[in-house]
Amino acid sequence: MIIILLATHFFLTFRLKFIQKKIGKGIRLSVKSSSNSEGETSSFGALTTTLAATLGIGNIIGVSTAVAMGGPGAILWIWLTGVLGMATTYAECYLGIHYRRIGKDGTFSGGPMYVLEYGLHSKPLAILYCFLTLAASYGVGCSTQSNSITDVTTNLWGLPPYIVGFVTALITGLVIIGGIKSIGNICTKLVPAMGIFYMAACIILLVLNINFLLPAIKLIIRSAFLPSAMIGGFIGSTIKTAARYGIARGLFSNEAGIGTAAIAASSAKTDNPYNQALVSMSATFWDTVVMCGITGLVIVSHILKYPASVKGASASELTTVAFEQIPFGGYILGLSIIAFATATLIGWSYFGEKAVVYLFGKEGIGTYRICYLVMIFIGAILSLEFVWELSDLINAFMIIPNVLSIWLLYRDIKCTE
């Protein structure tokens, strides 16, 4: 998977003439009105739906486990996955919009399944991708998120997991029952607010650790390409482990190569795949290049400043230990995790719903929503370790048909209007 992903990222980066340099245009287009174009939601609504699905625990707990298991060098691999993955996000979203279809009721549907069917003319691969998306919605988008919410609420307030699971399912159900328009409306308000709140706290921590910021950057770069011995609170790591956990957690965070961003992008009001693909590309920038990057710097600079503070901490607690440096830091981080995870629950429900529509028609939406809400409750009381490993496995299988379609249809992808 590392070879396939990096090869795809590099190929598209050069094929599309380093499309990443147009990130500024993508950000500007994301807030530009597109009401006169065909689609169900605004460009910004589609973007925030994508961000809602990707700005989850991968940005906090995922980065923490990457550092604990892959060493500080994993942070650079996460960041590189984000920078290079922007080209892959652009490509899959361009194809998703290019091959999207309009239903009899006026709804827009697109994404890898439609690219596979109408671009590659492979219905079996499209069906396979949809079943994998369904599995991922119950794992990546559901169980891991609700379990993390339970973990936070239990540690901070001692709330019973089954009550938290029920309330989380109820809140999610009230949002997703309205479909993409309801999801888009909630996400346009929730995503910017939670992003600013979390980044503000991270910036305060980086200011407090300012003298260790440059050494942290040097350590991250050096450890990514050289075997590292145990340093401070870090485990020792090799280049292989740093790359493995960095790329896996980067992929879990931004989903570049999985193709889910194209599902949300296809609902946007746009007549131009180029413009919306640039907007969707900015999701990977905000998610991994900015959010994961800043989380990684907070963790590494803190451990260099207070190496004894992380001794005995679990793989998922490095971010928590770093946040305890500021007043009410544990509560700030806890609220961030709850907000991020809830947003992911909402965003991923839409991805799974579109897979159900493709497989079974609109008649299957009601059953899917009920099962999704039940899985939120079940995920809240399950062990998380198995779900994380299962999520990595499902991600890997989703990559194969999606990346195959990109490689075979790359000539359809334009890097200019």
Side-chain angles (χ1 to χ4, degrees):
M1 284 301 104
I2 289 174
I3 294 171
I4 291 173
L5 275 177
L6 287 183
T8 303
H9 292 347
F10 274 113
F11 170 73
L12 291 170
T13 294
F14 291 109
R15 167 69 187 179
L16 300 174
K17 302 175 182 178
F18 205 79
I19 195 72
Q20 292 93 329
K21 67 180 181 290
K22 297 184 180 180
I23 182 60
K25 183 176 182 179
I27 294 172
R28 290 193 301 272
L29 287 171
S30 68
V31 295
K32 184 179 178 181
S33 175
S34 53
S35 58
N36 295 326
S37 302
E38 290 187 327
E40 294 182 76
T41 187
S42 65
S43 292
F44 188 67
L47 170 64
T48 52
T49 300
T50 301
L51 280 171
T54 56
L55 278 178
I57 57 174
N59 299 85
I60 301 174
I61 298 175
V63 175
S64 176
T65 57
V67 173
M69 302 174 79
I75 298 299
L76 184 62
W77 286 106
I78 290 176
W79 194 80
L80 287 174
T81 300
V83 172
L84 296 172
M86 288 165 64
T88 301
T89 300
Y90 173 89
E92 58 195 15
C93 289
Y94 188 101
L95 289 174
I97 298 167
H98 182 69
Y99 288 104
R100 73 178 179 178
R101 292 294 185 268
I102 306 175
K104 294 179 180 179
D105 57 355
T107 57
F108 285 72
S109 297
M113 50 280 215
Y114 293 89
V115 177
L116 290 164
E117 179 178 356
Y118 297 103
L120 286 188
H121 306 291
S122 178
K123 184 81 171 180
L125 278 180
I127 292 173
L128 171 64
Y129 182 85
C130 284
F131 275 114
L132 290 171
T133 302
L134 272 178
S137 73
Y138 292 132
V140 178
C142 187
S143 300
T144 55
Q145 312 301 325
S146 61
N147 196 287
S148 295
I149 293 174
T150 300
D151 187 55
V152 169
T153 54
T154 299
N155 290 334
L156 291 180
W157 301 294
L159 297 177
Y162 63 90
I163 292 180
V164 176
F166 176 78
V167 172
T168 303
L170 179 63
I171 293 172
T172 305
L174 291 174
V175 175
I176 68 176
I177 196 171
I180 182 58
K181 292 183 179 179
S182 174
I183 292 171
N185 289 336
I186 293 295
C187 290
T188 53
K189 299 176 179 64
L190 177 60
V191 170
M194 71 183 191
I196 292 171
F197 178 75
Y198 178 71
M199 286 184 63
C202 287
I203 290 171
I204 292 172
L205 287 166
L206 290 178
V207 170
L208 293 175
N209 300 338
I210 190 67
N211 293 333
F212 294 86
L213 190 55
L214 186 59
I217 294 172
K218 290 180 179 178
L219 177 60
I220 289 170
I221 295 173
R222 184 171 68 249
S223 300
F225 302 107
L226 294 172
S228 62
M230 184 175 288
I231 304 172
F234 295 117
I235 63 168
S237 66
T238 64
I239 300 173
K240 181 180 178 180
T241 56
R244 181 260 185 268
Y245 287 103
I247 293 175
R249 294 296 171 257
L251 174 64
F252 182 92
S253 177
N254 62 49
E255 299 174 14
I258 296 179
T260 48
I263 300 176
S266 299
S267 69
K269 293 179 179 179
T270 182
D271 297 321
N272 189 336
Y274 167 78
N275 285 344
Q276 185 58 40
L278 286 180
V279 172
S280 298
M281 181 183 76
S282 69
T284 302
F285 171 79
W286 290 119
D287 177 87
T288 309
V289 178
V290 176
M291 299 292 278
C292 288
I294 200 171
T295 300
L297 286 174
V298 165
I299 292 173
V300 178
S301 61
H302 174 81
I303 295 180
L304 289 179
K305 186 176 182 180
Y306 302 106
S309 66
V310 295
K311 290 183 178 178
S314 68
S316 62
E317 292 176 341
L318 298 185
T319 316
T320 304
V321 173
F323 266 72
E324 289 174 349
Q325 185 179 347
I326 58 177
F328 306 105
Y331 290 97
I332 292 172
L333 182 63
L335 290 173
S336 296
I337 292 174
I338 292 171
F340 280 29
T342 303
T344 301
L345 287 170
I346 294 170
W348 257 97
S349 70
Y350 178 70
F351 298 158
E353 191 172 300
K354 281 299 184 181
V356 167
V357 171
Y358 182 89
L359 291 170
F360 309 111
K362 286 185 173 280
E363 297 79 12
I365 291 178
T367 302
Y368 166 75
R369 287 175 177 171
I370 293 172
C371 292
Y372 191 81
L373 297 178
V374 170
M375 278 304 298
I376 291 176
F377 179 80
I378 293 175
I381 58 179
L382 286 178
S383 170
L384 189 59
E385 183 178 352
F386 172 73
V387 178
W388 274 94
E389 295 299 329
L390 184 62
S391 297
D392 280 348
L393 183 64
I394 295 171
N395 283 349
F397 280 113
M398 290 181 72
I399 288 168
I400 296 171
N402 181 58
V403 166
L404 177 65
S405 68
I406 293 174
W407 277 89
L408 295 178
L409 298 171
Y410 73 87
R411 290 184 178 86
D412 291 346
I413 307 167
K414 312 298 181 186
C415 55
T416 57
E417 292 188 68

